[in-house]
Amino acid sequence: MTELVPTTCMRCAVGCGHVQQAVDRGYGLESVRGDAAHPVSNGLACQRGISESADPDGEWLTRPLVRRDGELVATTWETALERAAEGLDTALEGGRDRVAVLGSGQQTNEAAYALGKLARGGIGTRYYDANTTLCMASAVTAYYDAFGSDAPPPTYDDVPEAETHLVWGANPAAAHPVLFRWINQSADAEDSELLVVDPIDSETAEVADHRVPLEPGGDLALARAVLARIVETDRVDEAFVADATTGFDQLREELPDPARAAERAGVSMADVDRLAAALENRTLVYWGMGINQSVNGTDAAGALIDLCLATGNLRPGSGPFSLTGQANSMGTRVCSSKGTWPGQRSFDDPAARELVAETWGVPPSRLPTDPGPGPVGIVDAIDEEVDAVYAVATNPVAGMPDATNVRERLDDAFLVVQDAFRSETVEHADVVLPAATWGESEGTTTNMERTVSRVRAATETPSGVRTDLELIGALADRLAPGLFDDPPEPEPVFDELAAMTEGTPADLSGLSYDRLEAELAVRWPAPEPDAAGGYRYYEERTDASGDEAETWSFPTPSGRARFSDGQAEPLPEPTDDDYPFTLTTARRPDAYNTGVRTREDDPPTARVSPATAVAVADDLEQGTDGRYGRVVSRRASITVRLEADESIPDGVIWLPIHHPAVNDLTLPAVDPRSREPNFKQCAVRLAPPRDPELEAVVEASA
């Protein structure tokens, strides 16, 4: 029998420990289960993470492919790598920004760091980003605004200490089952409660003590209504605000009338009062894509942080806690040089550029001076400024908004795709590099509460598959010789990236593989070999008189947390007579990101309220398993199966993010600061499956 190999689940960002066992003969995993020794999850694991590790759906890539005569055909590794390097190098003849690189929150820290090193230091492109921007960029920007650094102050240790669990625009029961178990257990305690703010009566809302059913896109207006009500009813923690923050007086003057803001959000004043009162207790405010994926995403996330600051909920057992979707989104943000240099060093800091250039052995002039325009901006630049794209562990053809435009743009570029599965993006590639996936790779990952733990391989890879790190190194050898001293190996790469974070807010310099082997998981900041992070920015100490005193320290110029000043802007595509419904997208409990590990061949299921289903029934077609129609936006139309669901409000159509057709419909408008797309609201209508008008829409958008 093969040995049991401990690792970390790469399904979502909870960071559960797994134990995996390879098959006795051949290639693959025999079994996966929770690891009782892992300090993050103590043996807990969701079935979805286990099944998607051990036995995923989807078509595995097992041979390198190149496009010949319009078809992808199998080839040798040498041919594939030479063809990839040749196409990228040809583009670079026009300038370093002629090549774009797209990374992923599904890579290890080591692979993400190496990809950023190649993109920023080897190639020197500003057109580099990761799909984490599509889900977490607004929260990241809001954290920087408020605290001067990224990542939430609380940790999982604070969950059982909270008295109010306020889940806003998120559905952890579906997206983060193990974390939700902890939240639900804490909320079940005496004098504790779970409140949910969501237009949809989600799986999380079903077990909540109360749900606030706001209008889609009404989050910022509601958060401002609650804060205004807190001010009106003298619930502000004035001592904390005076001691630890700046900007509240200006924000107080600009707050709207609570009733008017509540009306704009589509909620009652009773709900506003319920939320304002709940924040008097120790409150953890969790939020997810319902907040972030909006043109108001940064301001809405900032407004939730403001609620915590105004009520003093920035102590253990409370605080703002964004819920990360992808397994290593946090590591990508810290390590990959996507939005900052490693360790959250700013692109605007000349000393940081000098350090990065010296460490990488490249001239500072090669490094870009800004992080770039984000994924949507990168796609828009193809054919004008970008000629070639290198996409790693990401599926932009299915995962980005206005996906028809994404397909067309990528077809105009030389496209290298590196992935484990045959995704929609693979079908548009000129070169395909098959990469190892979970259970086949070595490295580390960082979960949403800043904890770093090992990822280990339990099985060998087939001869036609290589790890992300190997492939990045192989292309670097061809595009930027000498960037890596040797073929990159996980442990030396980790040591390099950890050293680069020394002295930063995201300090990993006290971490090593030996330490992670001994302790299994360590939370940053970890500046020394015996140090580990806890609740951030807060310290309780004994003063000279022997009394307990609280101190706060933030990496901002003033040393204080900063209130935001964002006000709600109109949504970019409101409903009208032609497009009377609001489309929103969200996760299903049993599906994976864009569906690569949980393939759906049937049309996606569109959930609507019973009243909506009745109103449109005559326009749809009855099939053997339900009614079928098409959801039509200003960009495309897709076939759907309609399902009446009482959890969906009237006027809203719910579609899963996981089906590759859904983002044909969505809107490419982005938050002006975070560059995160407005996935959650766009105007649509329902139409019959074979309406001639629909065929014209399809032809126009093809």
Side-chain angles (χ1 to χ4, degrees):
M1 180 178 292
T2 56
E3 65 177 327
L4 296 173
V5 178
T7 189
T8 307
C9 180
M10 294 292 284
R11 170 56 183 84
C12 78
V14 173
C16 298
H18 278 183
V19 175
Q20 51 194 1
Q21 185 176 33
V23 294
D24 288 330
R25 293 183 180 180
Y27 159 78
L29 297 178
E30 175 68 28
S31 65
V32 178
R33 59 175 171 80
D35 182 0
H38 199 280
V40 168
S41 52
N42 299 305
L44 292 178
C46 72
Q47 184 56 47
R48 181 184 58 194
I50 289 173
S51 62
E52 289 172 12
S53 298
D55 188 26
D57 292 333
E59 180 182 346
W60 293 72
L61 294 170
T62 59
R63 293 282 304 276
L65 307 173
V66 295
R67 189 168 296 279
R68 290 183 184 146
D69 299 324
E71 300 292 329
L72 286 172
V73 297
T75 190
T76 65
W77 269 114
E78 185 62 27
T79 298
L81 289 169
E82 287 299 326
R83 178 72 185 95
E86 177 186 291
L88 297 173
D89 209 30
T90 298
L92 287 173
E93 291 175 2
R96 63 191 185 188
D97 289 334
R98 305 306 292 192
V99 170
V101 180
L102 296 173
S104 168
Q106 296 299 138
Q107 296 176 277
T108 62
N109 289 319
E110 293 79 1
Y113 172 80
L115 184 64
K117 184 175 179 177
L118 172 58
R120 300 300 200 192
I123 295 171
T125 183
R126 69 184 291 266
Y127 289 112
Y128 164 58
D129 215 299
N131 55 24
T132 56
T133 297
L134 304 177
C135 57
M136 293 306 300
S138 295
V140 169
T141 307
Y143 282 137
Y144 275 113
D145 287 348
F147 306 129
S149 69
D150 177 21
T155 74
Y156 297 158
D157 295 337
D158 297 296
V159 173
E161 303 302 319
E163 297 168 319
T164 298
H165 297 271
L166 176 53
V167 177
W168 195 314
N171 186 12
H176 305 101
V178 171
L179 173 59
F180 182 66
R181 178 172 175 175
W182 299 330
I183 293 171
N184 206 24
Q185 285 175 338
S186 178
D188 279 344
E190 188 175 357
D191 298 326
S192 296
E193 63 178 350
L194 171 60
L195 306 179
V196 172
V197 178
D198 201 318
I200 307 301
D201 191 8
S202 67
E203 290 87 349
T204 301
E206 287 177 1
V207 299
D209 295 286
H210 183 69
R211 177 174 74 100
V212 177
L214 79 170
E215 292 287 333
D219 304 279
L220 180 51
L222 176 56
R224 287 299 188 231
V226 174
L227 182 55
R229 191 62 172 154
I230 286 169
V231 170
E232 275 190 351
T233 53
D234 296 323
R235 290 186 169 107
V236 174
D237 187 335
E238 299 287 359
F240 172 80
V241 169
D243 290 345
T245 74
T246 184
F248 186 61
D249 288 341
Q250 178 180 346
L251 175 57
R252 191 196 309 249
E253 292 176 0
E254 296 173 352
L255 288 173
D257 172 72
R260 189 168 299 173
E263 182 180 5
R264 185 174 181 179
V267 305
S268 69
M269 277 304 297
D271 279 334
V272 171
D273 282 329
R274 179 71 185 268
L275 295 175
L279 284 157
E280 289 189 275
N281 303 318
R282 275 198 314 274
T283 301
L284 280 169
V285 180
Y286 313 87
W287 76 91
M289 301 311 102
I291 290 289
N292 295 336
Q293 290 179 335
S294 167
V295 293
N296 290 314
T298 296
D299 289 338
L304 298 187
I305 295 172
D306 290 341
L307 291 176
C308 294
L309 294 178
T311 56
N313 277 298
L314 207 72
R315 300 174 172 93
S318 67
F321 202 162
S322 56
L323 301 180
T324 304
Q326 292 192 76
N328 200 29
S329 177
M330 179 70 72
T332 302
R333 286 142 60 183
V334 170
C335 301
S336 74
S337 303
K338 178 184 78 72
T340 63
W341 301 117
Q344 302 182 6
R345 298 181 189 274
S346 173
F347 272 72
D348 297 332
D349 182 356
R353 290 173 56 81
E354 291 290 340
L355 172 67
V356 171
E358 181 181 357
T359 302
W360 290 350
V362 301
S365 59
R366 186 181 298 174
L367 303 178
T369 57
D370 68 77
V376 172
I378 288 174
V379 168
D380 288 343
I382 293 174
D383 201 33
E384 297 179 4
E385 298 180 54
V386 171
D387 296 324
V389 178
Y390 175 31
V392 181
T394 188
N395 188 14
V397 164
M400 288 185 65
D402 192 10
T404 301
N405 176 62
V406 176
R407 288 192 293 271
E408 293 172 349
R409 296 273 183 165
L410 289 176
D411 282 340
D412 289 336
F414 177 80
L415 177 61
V416 180
V417 174
Q418 181 172 310
D419 211 330
F421 293 88
R422 188 152 184 155
S423 69
E424 286 72 24
T425 304
V426 164
E427 302 306 324
H428 297 262
D430 295 283
V431 180
V432 179
L433 306 177
T437 184
W438 316 340
E440 306 168 344
S441 301
E442 294 283 339
T444 59
T445 187
T446 311
N447 74 359
M448 74 174 79
E449 58 138 16
R450 299 175 270 117
T451 295
V452 181
S453 57
R454 285 294 311 277
V455 175
R456 291 179 174 87
T459 181
E460 298 294 328
T461 57
S463 60
V465 175
R466 298 185 182 180
T467 68
D468 278 338
L469 201 54
E470 288 179 285
L471 292 170
I472 293 164
L475 284 178
D477 282 346
R478 291 162 169 81
L479 297 171
L483 185 67
F484 295 97
D485 292 336
D486 300 297
E489 295 289 337
E491 186 169 4
V493 170
F494 182 84
D495 291 342
E496 180 178 307
L497 76 87
M500 284 190 71
T501 68
E502 183 176 4
T504 70
D507 196 331
L508 310 178
S509 61
L511 298 183
S512 65
Y513 274 31
D514 286 343
R515 183 178 179 186
L516 293 174
E517 188 75 28
E519 299 180 42
L520 298 182
V522 181
R523 188 184 300 124
W524 66 258
E528 302 292 340
D530 59 352
Y535 198 100
R536 303 173 80 201
Y537 315 128
Y538 169 88
E539 183 180 0
E540 189 171 9
R541 58 179 177 79
T542 303
D543 62 21
S545 63
D547 295 329
E548 295 295 321
E550 297 177 321
T551 60
W552 291 269
S553 177
F554 303 92
T556 61
S558 67
R560 292 167 171 261
R562 299 174 292 209
F563 280 90
S564 70
D565 59 3
Q567 302 297 324
E569 298 296 328
L571 294 178
E573 194 174 76
T575 59
D576 57 23
D577 290 343
D578 292 328
Y579 298 90
F581 298 107
T582 297
L583 170 67
T584 193
T585 63
R587 297 182 189 275
R588 280 203 346 248
D590 57 345
Y592 172 82
N593 289 5
T594 60
V596 293
R597 291 174 182 260
T598 49
R599 289 282 87 183
E600 287 190 32
D601 295 325
D602 296 329
T605 296
R607 296 159 57 195
V608 299
S609 71
T612 299
V614 170
V616 301
D618 291 343
D619 294 328
L620 305 180
E621 181 177 290
Q622 182 66 47
T624 57
D625 57 348
R627 292 188 180 274
Y628 286 81
R630 294 182 78 81
V631 176
V632 187
S633 76
R634 289 181 172 87
R635 288 153 295 283
S637 67
I638 66 170
T639 300
V640 300
R641 185 178 72 85
L642 214 67
E643 178 180 285
D645 189 331
E646 293 182 351
S647 68
I648 309 299
D650 293 344
V652 171
I653 297 175
W654 183 103
L655 279 170
I657 65 168
H658 317 285
H659 196 284
V662 168
N663 276 322
D664 284 358
L665 302 169
T666 53
L667 186 70
V670 299
D671 181 289
R673 296 185 58 224
S674 71
R675 307 299 183 189
E676 185 163 347
N678 192 87
F679 282 110
K680 294 303 179 189
Q681 307 93 23
C682 70
V684 296
R685 59 187 172 91
L686 285 168
R690 297 185 179 87
D691 189 328
E693 184 180 355
L694 278 177
E695 294 177 5
V697 170
V698 174
E699 291 172 1
S701 62

